[in-house]
Amino acid sequence: MANSKYEYVKTFEVEDEVFMPNLIIIRIDGRDFLRFSQVHNFEKPNDERAVNLMNSCAVAVSEEYPDIVFSYGYSDEYSFIFKKTSKFYQRRASGKSFSPQKELRYSPSFHARAIICCASILQAYLAWRQNDCHINNQYETCLGMLIKCGKTESEAHEILKGTQKQEKNELLFQQFGINYKKLPELFRQGSCVFKTEVEDIVKYNENGAPVKRLRRKARIVHSENIAGKKFWNEHPCLVKELGDFEDDVCKIKADYVRSFLFESKLMPFTWIVIRIDGCHFHRFSEVHEFEKPNDKQALNLMNSCAVAVLEEFQDIIFSYGVSDEYSFVLQKETLFYQRRASDIVSVIVSFFTSTYVIKWKEFFPLKDLKYPPSFDGRAVCYPSSNIIRDYLAWRQVDCHINNQYNTCFWMLVMSGYSKSEAQGYLKGSQTREKNELLIQKFGIDYNQLPIMFRQGSSVFRAEAEKTMAFEKGSPAEKLRNKVIVTHCNIIEHSFWKEHPSILDEEPQIH
C-alpha cells in the first residue's frame, strides 16, 4: 500500500489469533431466511431444490478451500470444520441456480460465528446440530401438515405445544398416514460434505483411451449419526485431519458447546469500519476481461453493490470504495448485532457478494459470470471522528497513488513493454515523473482522467427529494434521504463541513 501521513491508522487494526492445533468451526446461518423463503415461495416444510442449492454451495466452498475438511448443514445453516493446522480464516457466499424458473428477488445474506475446539467438542457440536435438525424438521413437518388440512398457524402451534417426539410421530402417522422415518434422509438427517479419493478421467491418450487418476473430490453424504464413532471410523481421512471420536455421545449439552463460541465484541462508542477486499481479483478481472487500468462498468457494479448495502443496513452511514475494495463506516453508537465482529463482517460481506452476482448482468449484459466472486472482510474500531476521517483520507491517497502507477504501467505494457520491463521502468519514480511520462510519451494529462478513477467513490445518504405526506389528516412536506454516489475529495475539510450529518459533527460557526 502507498506511503502517506495517514498510514498511522493501520495501528488500530488488531488480528484475532486462533492458536494451533485447535479446530475451527465456522457456522453460517441465513439472515431473515423465513422472509426469504416466503418471498421466493419455498415449499413447506422442506424445499428440496433449496436444500440442494445449499448443499451445492457447500461442495463449491469445500473444493475451493482445501483447509475445510468436513461440513454439515440443514435448512439455511452450514458448519464448516477446518483442519488442525489451518491458518486460513475466510467466509464466502456464492451459489448455483437450481430454480431456473424463479427469479431471485433480492440478495440473500448470511451471518457467521466461530467455535474453537478439540475433537471431543467437535463430536458434541455435530451431535447437537444433527439433533437440532431432527427436532426442527419433525416439528415443521407436523406444523405444515396441520396447516394444509385447514388449521391456522397459531392453532397448529397450539396443538404441537409441549408434544414429545413420539407424539409427533403418532400425529403424522394417525392423521396423515406419514411414517416420519420414511421421509427423505436429506430432510431428517441433514447433509455432510467431505472429500474422498475418486478415480477421475484427467485426459485421453493418443488412441482415445481415457487416462484415469485418483483425485480428492467433495461428495454429499446423509447419515443417521454423524457424531457416532462408527460413522467417523468408516472415513479414516476425517480421523486423520480432525481427530478420533472415543465413544458415542450419550447426552447433548448445547450450553456446553456454546461456551466455546469465539466471541469478539467491538469496543463501544467507537467508529466501526468494515473493509472488504476482493479475493484473487487479479485472476477474476483477467478471466472476465476487465479493461485496464480501469473498467468503468466493473467500478460502477461495485458502487451499485455499496448503495444496496447502505439501503439494507441503516447503521452504515458512509462508505468509500476503489477498485475491488470498499470500506463501510457504522455509526458510533451502533448496536448492530450487539457489535459482534464476526456477525457484522459476515453479513455485510455476504450481502455485498450476493448483490454483486445478482447485478452482474445489469452492468455486463454481454458477458457471462464464469465463476462467483468472493470477498474477505475485517472490522476495525477508530475512537474519534478525526481518526476516522484520516482513515478515509488514507484510502483515498492510496487510490490516487495506485491508480497513477497502474495507468502508467498498463500504458507501457500496451505500447510494447513486458510487465517486468514496465515494473522496472517505474521503479522508484515519483508522482511528478509519472505525470511527465503520461503526458510526454502517451499524450495523457493524468488530471483530466475520469474523477472516479483518480478519487474513488463515496456513498452516503443525502436529503435529496421532497415528498408530500399526511400527518393527522393534513399534508406535510418531508425530506426523503436518498443514497447517492459521488466522486470527490474527502481528504479536505470542506467535504465534511458541507456534510456534517455524516459523522454527527456540528457545523463550525466562524
Side-chain angles (χ1 to χ4, degrees):
M1 289 186 179
N3 294 318
S4 72
K5 67 178 182 179
Y6 302 108
E7 281 210 32
Y8 78 91
V9 297
K10 289 195 290 186
T11 61
F12 290 91
E13 298 180 5
V14 178
E15 296 288 349
D16 291 328
E17 186 173 357
V18 178
F19 294 103
M20 293 190 290
N22 289 321
L23 297 171
I24 305 172
I25 304 171
I26 302 298
R27 178 177 155 205
I28 68 167
D29 286 282
R31 170 179 163 266
D32 197 12
F33 249 60
L34 177 60
R35 173 175 167 259
F36 185 85
S37 64
Q38 290 170 344
V39 168
H40 292 91
N41 298 316
F42 283 6
E43 291 182 17
K44 298 295 183 183
N46 294 290
D47 190 303
E48 186 172 354
R49 288 185 297 181
V51 176
N52 283 332
L53 171 58
M54 289 289 292
N55 291 342
S56 177
C57 292
V59 168
V61 171
S62 180
E63 290 181 339
E64 180 75 11
Y65 305 120
D67 284 8
I68 296 175
V69 177
F70 183 83
S71 57
Y72 172 76
Y74 71 94
S75 185
D76 62 332
E77 91 166 46
Y78 242 99
S79 299
F80 299 95
I81 296 92
F82 291 71
K83 62 185 179 183
K84 294 179 182 179
T85 56
S86 173
K87 296 181 181 179
F88 178 80
Y89 189 77
Q90 185 181 57
R91 304 161 193 72
R92 176 177 177 164
S94 63
K96 299 178 182 178
S97 175
F98 275 74
S99 302
Q101 297 85 3
K102 288 187 180 181
E103 180 183 353
L104 192 57
R105 297 182 183 178
Y106 68 90
S107 303
S109 57
F110 298 80
H111 53 80
R113 308 291 292 277
I115 292 178
I116 314 304
C117 64
C118 58
S120 61
I121 307 305
L122 171 61
Q123 183 181 24
Y125 175 84
L126 293 174
W128 169 44
R129 298 321 305 143
Q130 189 166 46
N131 185 61
D132 240 31
C133 168
H134 163 67
I135 291 172
N136 291 340
N137 185 65
Q138 188 188 45
Y139 185 93
E140 292 296 327
T141 302
C142 292
L143 182 73
M145 294 307 300
L146 287 168
I147 291 172
K148 281 182 181 178
C149 76
K151 302 293 182 184
T152 66
E153 190 170 339
S154 58
E155 287 172 340
H157 282 300
E158 190 61 32
I159 291 171
L160 295 173
K161 189 176 180 181
T163 55
Q164 302 302 308
K165 183 193 299 184
Q166 186 57 36
E167 293 171 306
K168 293 188 184 75
N169 282 343
E170 290 173 0
L171 168 69
L172 287 171
F173 188 74
Q174 292 172 6
Q175 288 200 29
F176 308 108
I178 294 174
N179 183 344
Y180 180 76
K181 292 184 178 179
K182 297 295 185 182
L183 292 179
E185 294 176 329
L186 175 72
F187 305 143
R188 292 184 295 108
Q189 299 172 357
S191 304
C192 307
V193 177
F194 56 95
K195 302 182 195 76
T196 56
E197 286 193 340
V198 296
E199 199 172 49
D200 202 12
I201 298 174
V202 293
K203 63 179 181 179
Y204 293 86
N205 63 23
E206 55 188 16
N207 297 321
V211 177
K212 297 181 179 181
R213 288 178 188 165
L214 287 175
R215 55 168 292 198
R216 290 175 64 79
K217 193 171 183 179
R219 65 177 180 134
I220 300 170
V221 173
H222 309 289
S223 175
E224 188 173 359
N225 184 9
I226 61 171
K229 187 175 181 180
K230 180 177 182 294
F231 172 79
W232 217 244
N233 288 344
E234 286 173 353
H235 305 286
C237 61
L238 299 180
V239 176
K240 179 182 177 181
E241 297 284 8
L242 301 176
D244 198 3
F245 289 172
E246 296 296 330
D247 300 297
D248 290 342
V249 177
C250 298
K251 190 175 181 181
I252 298 167
K253 300 177 181 178
D255 289 339
Y256 170 67
V257 179
R258 287 193 192 99
S259 67
F260 291 87
L261 190 69
F262 187 76
E263 193 76 88
S264 177
K265 284 197 174 185
L266 299 167
M267 189 179 296
F269 299 105
T270 56
W271 299 101
I272 299 172
V273 172
I274 307 300
R275 187 166 86 238
I276 71 171
D277 288 281
C279 297
H280 308 299
F281 248 61
H282 284 297
R283 174 175 173 263
F284 185 85
S285 65
E286 288 175 0
V287 168
H288 292 93
E289 299 178 334
F290 285 1
E291 291 183 17
K292 301 295 185 182
N294 293 289
D295 190 302
K296 185 178 179 180
Q297 287 301 90
L299 293 174
N300 283 331
L301 172 54
M302 291 287 293
N303 294 342
S304 182
C305 294
V307 169
V309 170
L310 262 75
E311 290 175 340
E312 181 73 11
F313 305 113
Q314 296 301 308
D315 286 37
I316 299 174
I317 51 154
F318 185 83
S319 64
Y320 174 77
V322 55
S323 186
D324 62 335
E325 165 193 318
Y326 244 100
S327 295
F328 297 95
V329 181
L330 281 78
Q331 59 190 15
K332 200 172 186 178
E333 297 81 12
T334 184
L335 293 176
F336 189 49
Y337 282 104
Q338 289 73 53
R339 299 178 77 95
R340 290 192 299 266
S342 58
D343 281 330
I344 297 172
V345 172
S346 55
V347 162
I348 292 174
V349 168
S350 62
F351 186 84
F352 190 97
T353 307
S354 60
T355 302
Y356 193 102
V357 173
I358 290 173
K359 287 178 173 285
W360 175 266
K361 276 297 180 184
E362 181 182 335
F363 291 89
F364 294 102
L366 302 179
K367 286 184 180 180
D368 289 331
L369 185 61
K370 297 181 180 179
Y371 67 91
S374 59
F375 296 83
D376 58 30
R378 63 167 57 198
V380 186
C381 294
Y382 298 96
S384 71
S385 57
N386 285 336
I387 295 175
I388 193 68
R389 281 170 50 184
D390 282 353
Y391 167 82
L392 294 168
W394 170 49
R395 302 316 309 133
Q396 190 164 57
V397 168
D398 231 32
C399 168
H400 160 67
I401 294 176
N402 290 338
N403 184 64
Q404 188 189 46
Y405 180 94
N406 288 332
T407 302
C408 293
F409 175 82
W410 285 107
M411 291 308 299
L412 288 169
V413 170
M414 286 187 278
S415 70
Y417 285 73
S418 69
K419 290 182 179 181
S420 59
E421 287 172 341
Q423 288 171 343
Y425 190 104
L426 295 172
K427 188 175 181 180
S429 60
Q430 302 301 309
T431 297
R432 181 180 55 80
E433 295 168 314
K434 293 187 183 76
N435 281 341
E436 290 174 355
L437 166 67
L438 288 173
I439 193 75
Q440 293 172 8
K441 200 172 183 70
F442 305 108
I444 295 174
D445 183 350
Y446 179 78
N447 293 322
Q448 296 302 312
L449 292 178
I451 193 169
M452 177 168 64
F453 303 161
R454 294 181 288 113
Q455 296 190 347
S457 302
S458 298
V459 182
F460 56 95
R461 295 178 189 86
E463 292 181 347
E465 296 179 359
K466 290 183 179 180
T467 59
M468 295 301 293
F470 286 86
E471 292 184 356
K472 299 179 180 179
S474 302
E477 194 176 72
K478 284 192 171 183
L479 286 172
R480 188 180 73 174
N481 287 339
K482 184 180 179 181
V483 178
I484 62 171
V485 180
T486 66
H487 315 291
C488 53
N489 188 336
I490 60 174
I491 298 174
E492 298 297 330
H493 178 67
S494 57
F495 172 82
W496 303 102
K497 186 177 179 181
E498 187 180 345
H499 304 284
S501 61
I502 294 176
L503 298 179
D504 291 327
E505 294 178 321
E506 291 294 330
Q508 295 180 1
I509 300 174
H510 296 285

